[in-house]
């Protein structure tokens, strides 16, 4: 049976995430570091999903929407 783990990402995993995506550019690394900083500031959760220890995906859960119609709702 496959093991699935979803947890907060660690800063040292950002290069591996970029490599898994095939984009090791400085812009991509900076993009993920920005979200990691938001997590440290309590603005979001930056979660990584691992399948049998390998990166399977990620998600940003923003506690307050920054864009779109939900941002205007001020929930």
């Amino acid at each position: 049976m496959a093991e699935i783990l979803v947890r907060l990402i660690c800063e040292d995993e950002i290069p591996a995430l970029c490599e898994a995506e095939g984009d090791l550019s400085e812009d991509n690394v900076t993009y993920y570091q920005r979200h990691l900083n938001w997590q440290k500031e309590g603005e979001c959760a930056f979660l990584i999903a691992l399948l049998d220890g390998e990166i399977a995906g990620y998600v940003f859960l923003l506690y307050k929407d920054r864009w779109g119609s939900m941002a205007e709702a001020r929930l």
Side-chain angles (χ1 to χ4, degrees):
M1 178 179 248
E3 180 181 13
I4 299 170
L5 176 65
V6 178
R7 61 169 171 72
L8 295 175
I9 194 168
C10 300
E11 187 168 3
D12 62 346
E13 294 174 308
I14 289 176
L17 178 58
C18 292
E19 185 174 351
E21 286 188 323
D23 183 356
L24 290 166
S25 69
E26 186 175 333
D27 286 344
N28 201 35
V29 171
T30 300
Y31 174 77
Y32 291 121
Q33 286 175 334
R34 181 172 46 247
H35 284 78
L36 185 63
N37 288 336
W38 289 349
Q39 177 174 277
K40 289 176 183 177
E41 294 168 3
E43 295 182 35
C44 77
F46 182 178
L47 303 172
I48 189 167
L50 304 170
L51 176 62
D52 293 331
E54 299 292 322
I55 296 172
Y58 65 91
V59 66
F60 308 118
L61 298 175
L62 298 173
Y63 301 134
K64 181 178 177 186
D65 197 357
R66 295 172 174 261
W67 308 275
S69 61
M70 294 301 291
E72 296 173 13
R74 305 283 182 218
L75 300 176

